[in-house]
Amino acid sequence: MTREEKQALVDELSGKMQSHNSFYIVDASVMSVAKINDFRRLAFNRGLEYKVYKNTFIRKALDTLGHDTSEMDAALKGQSGVLFSTESGSAPAKLLRDFYKAQNYARGVEPKPVLKGAYVDASIYIGSSQLETLTTIKGKQELLGELIGLLQSPAKNVISALSSGGNKLAGILKTLSEKEAA
């Protein structure tokens, strides 16, 4: 591979990392071709993209993100594949969890593909022990929706209290004005 081809591949990977709000680095090296194809198919069906890259290309692409990604160096050992997600930071984690369940791994056996690291909205998670945490992460849009709902809630309560209590308030004012007139 020529230097120009390598640079084009790094540029492509860098563009994907910048355009996707989250990506996961996994190791599927000991999986059979049939299992990897099943995994790719499941990823594709869920709107995710899985592609294998050399660790040096991933490292160079990580350097273009503008964040300190040195923690990811621990994940860049052995073979690495990258799962890209545009919608939700938890989608790849849920994909891995569901794939593990479908494979019926025995206790004590590390499921494949192994989660090596994840980058979700500029946060870095290292190791397969982070999978459960990653399945519960909410995306930026979900958090904004919840925040707007929380901000609207007090205003709705005040408006409903004023509208329902408006009749009572008018009655109290009328009674007080009648007492003053009498």
Side-chain angles (χ1 to χ4, degrees):
M1 187 179 272
T2 66
R3 184 176 295 212
E4 290 79 22
E5 291 172 330
K6 290 178 182 178
Q7 187 58 46
L9 193 58
V10 170
D11 291 343
E12 173 194 336
L13 180 57
S14 176
K16 284 184 181 183
M17 286 181 173
Q18 291 173 3
S19 66
H20 292 77
N21 61 351
S22 66
F23 56 88
Y24 287 42
I25 299 174
V26 298
D27 179 6
S29 61
V30 295
M31 293 175 63
S32 68
V33 173
K35 295 276 186 198
I36 290 174
N37 287 338
D38 289 344
F39 181 70
R40 284 181 194 269
R41 190 173 304 110
L42 186 59
F44 178 78
N45 290 340
R46 293 190 182 191
L48 304 173
E49 181 185 351
Y50 175 71
K51 194 167 180 182
V52 177
Y53 293 97
K54 289 180 73 173
N55 289 326
T56 54
F57 295 161
I58 295 171
R59 176 74 262 156
K60 288 178 182 179
L62 285 170
D63 289 339
T64 66
L65 291 177
H67 298 75
D68 179 22
T69 57
S70 59
E71 289 180 66
M72 287 294 255
D73 290 343
L76 298 177
K77 308 268 190 275
Q79 290 187 348
S80 298
V82 183
L83 264 171
F84 293 101
S85 173
T86 54
E87 294 178 18
S88 168
S90 64
K94 291 176 182 175
L95 167 77
L96 289 168
R97 182 190 59 198
D98 294 346
F99 188 74
Y100 295 163
K101 284 181 184 177
Q103 301 306 310
N104 294 322
Y105 284 101
R107 287 197 180 270
V109 176
E110 187 172 37
K112 305 290 183 194
V114 176
L115 173 63
K116 293 172 28 172
Y119 179 92
V120 180
D121 292 327
S123 296
I124 296 175
Y125 302 86
I126 301 297
S128 58
S129 62
Q130 299 291 322
L131 185 64
E132 284 306 311
T133 303
L134 289 164
T135 58
T136 60
I137 287 180
K138 294 184 180 181
K140 195 180 287 185
Q141 296 301 327
E142 293 171 303
L143 290 174
L144 285 174
E146 284 183 13
L147 180 63
I148 289 170
L150 288 171
L151 291 174
Q152 287 178 342
S153 178
K156 287 180 182 177
N157 290 341
V158 169
I159 291 171
S160 66
L162 288 175
S163 65
S164 69
N167 294 336
K168 291 180 185 177
L169 186 61
I172 292 170
L173 290 175
K174 183 178 178 185
T175 305
L176 287 174
S177 66
E178 287 175 359
K179 282 185 178 181
E180 287 179 7

